[in-house]
Amino acid sequence: MKLATHALTAYEQQAFPGQPPLLQRDTLYTEALLAALVCDLEHYAAYHGINFSAVLGNGREINAQETAEDAPFKVGDQVRLTRQSDLCGTIVAWQNTASDTETIFIVEVPGLSYLHAETAANLTPAPPFPPTNTSFGPITDASQAEQTYISIMAQLPKALVPTRRALEQDRELLLSTLSSWSGVPETRIQDELHPMRRSAPYQESASREAKAASADFPAPITREAPTPRNEPGRTKQPPSSSGGPINSP
């Protein structure tokens, strides 16, 4: 901020010598001065054979990374969605708004087929996911619990009796823990995480929603953070810019 202020002040003094400075006093004037500076920088780049579009793109990338470092939450944090009946989930990505003045956090809630897009003001830290001991080892977070649950459901049909009993116990334990932590009813989690949940119409609808969401989020989410996992048997849909969910069909 100090460097940018110094550069803009120096540019104003050169552009309007002898005139009283108006920076920080008039927003429209400051915007016009910034636009003039950017225009002159583009002329400078063109004269010296520099790709100005690439420079702008790189600058925005760096700005996005610096914004993320200062953000109150990061990918992997477990959060409570205060506007969504206090549901709990995991931040799987983030996205700056078009104006770069605010960060949207993408939250995956166990048992929901869509992702939530919320600002930091609508999120608080969630209680730690209860450590759950299973025959697969200790489960320490919601995403791991979901993946293990789906794996168990895929193994159950072919499991022999002794193994099946252990798998059933793990399944019930994970289902109960996921529900109590996230606030999503067990029946909904059970339905959403079932291996047969995927269908062709659902995939087509998800594709349409993704294209619609791209208008609200022009910069790919994967540029800032890992893409949410597509576990076998389900595909979560992208968020809406309004902070609410995109409903599944």
Side-chain angles (χ1 to χ4, degrees), residues 7-242:
L8 198 57
T9 300
Y11 181 77
E12 181 187 33
Q13 292 172 352
Q14 290 294 318
F16 304 103
Q19 299 295 320
L22 295 177
L23 285 175
Q24 312 303 326
R25 299 181 186 178
D26 187 328
T27 301
L28 292 177
Y29 171 86
T30 302
E31 289 180 355
L33 192 67
L34 276 169
L37 174 57
V38 171
C39 176
D40 286 347
L41 288 173
E42 186 166 12
H43 285 306
Y44 176 90
Y47 180 82
H48 290 281
I50 297 171
N51 186 334
F52 190 69
S53 295
V55 170
L56 285 178
N58 290 336
R60 291 180 66 86
E61 289 277 358
I62 296 170
N63 177 68
Q65 293 172 10
E66 293 176 347
T67 300
E69 292 172 358
D70 295 333
F73 300 105
K74 63 181 184 300
V75 172
D77 283 353
Q78 298 177 137
V79 293
R80 186 187 299 276
L81 291 82
T82 58
R83 292 198 317 128
Q84 307 295 336
S85 303
D86 284 337
L87 295 175
C88 291
T90 305
I91 294 178
V92 295
W94 59 268
Q95 173 70 55
N96 283 341
T97 57
S99 61
D100 282 341
T101 59
E102 201 166 29
T103 300
I104 301 295
F105 295 95
I106 314 303
V107 183
E108 179 183 32
V109 178
L112 298 185
S113 58
Y114 46 79
L115 300 169
H116 281 278
E118 296 287 354
T119 61
N122 298 319
L123 300 173
T124 60
F129 187 83
T132 308
N133 292 319
T134 70
S135 57
F136 296 88
I139 305 299
T140 58
D141 62 64
S143 297
Q144 186 184 15
E146 281 190 277
Q147 292 176 24
T148 305
Y149 182 94
I150 293 170
S151 177
I152 289 172
M153 292 298 295
Q155 295 178 46
L156 273 174
K158 297 181 180 180
L160 300 177
V161 174
T163 304
R164 184 180 182 86
R165 289 173 182 167
L167 290 175
E168 285 284 6
Q169 290 177 352
D170 288 342
R171 185 187 72 86
E172 292 298 328
L173 182 58
L174 289 173
L175 182 62
S176 174
T177 305
L178 279 168
S179 177
S180 61
W181 180 80
S182 67
V184 179
E186 287 188 15
T187 51
R188 183 161 189 178
I189 294 177
Q190 197 169 16
D191 175 67
E192 179 60 33
L193 301 187
H194 195 282
M196 300 303 292
R197 178 73 167 80
R198 182 179 295 177
S199 65
Y202 180 84
Q203 296 286 354
E204 292 172 3
S205 175
S207 177
R208 289 195 300 271
E209 296 290 3
K211 291 179 180 179
S214 65
D216 295 325
F217 294 90
I221 288 175
T222 51
R223 188 187 70 187
E224 287 85 15
T227 303
R229 293 171 299 281
N230 290 330
E231 292 92 345
R234 70 189 183 120
T235 301
K236 293 211 174 187
Q237 298 187 34
S240 67
S241 59
S242 61

